[in-house]
Amino acid sequence: MTMRAMSVRTTRSRKPGILLAAALVAFLGFAVGPAAHPAPAAASTATYMEGLIVKWVNHARANRGIPALRVTTRLSNLAGDRSATLASTQNLIHPSCLSCVFKSYGIAFSTCGEVIAWTSYPWGYQAARSIYLSWKGSSTHWTLLMSRSFHRIGVGVTYRSGTHTTWAAGELAG
């Protein structure tokens, strides 16, 4: 009979294996869990708010059988500058020559219009909604926004931290 040496089983700590397994589970949790799919950061940006306002205006137009307004870069740039001016001066005043302003931005148009507003909601969804509803509640503003004469739009919003107010301008071109 031949005898073989039996291996001596060492008693290693199982902690490194458990730690490795825990790290793997944690990694997988982050890869598929909420940390991997955070809420959109756009919720507090001007672009997000401007998009909401245009979406709501175009939805109202569609409900009336009016074609949607198309957002353009030049109108958006003008609207952003106008909302910044409104916020810095804290005055809701239209330019004395709106067509001159459009021309200075290189915007071609057959007709032009502007809607402006401010809200005490400081920023985000509620401020955008308040601005939209103020335009909807004004027959003059709403008539412009629902006019078939306009085909393009740019919306700009600006936050004024000193007064915690949000200012907006909508520039329309036909």
Side-chain angles (χ1 to χ4, degrees), residues 49-105:
M49 293 169 60
E50 293 157 1
L52 284 174
I53 294 168
V54 171
K55 180 179 86 170
W56 295 328
V57 167
N58 279 335
H59 181 75
R61 288 173 67 94
N63 286 342
R64 290 162 180 75
I66 305 166
L69 295 167
R70 184 174 46 88
V71 176
T72 70
T73 301
R74 288 184 183 177
L75 285 170
S76 296
N77 290 341
L78 169 57
D81 290 349
R82 286 285 298 133
S83 68
T85 298
L86 296 171
S88 68
T89 62
Q90 297 186 73
N91 286 314
L92 282 178
I93 299 172
H94 295 284
S96 58
C97 181
L98 186 60
S99 64
C100 298
V101 175
F102 272 57
K103 289 175 186 174
S104 74
Y105 277 77

Side-chain angles (χ1 to χ4, degrees), residues 120-137:
S120 58
Y121 283 101
W123 198 244
Y125 179 91
Q126 288 296 339
R129 190 74 180 156
S130 176
I131 289 162
Y132 168 77
L133 292 174
S134 71
W135 288 342
K136 187 175 180 182

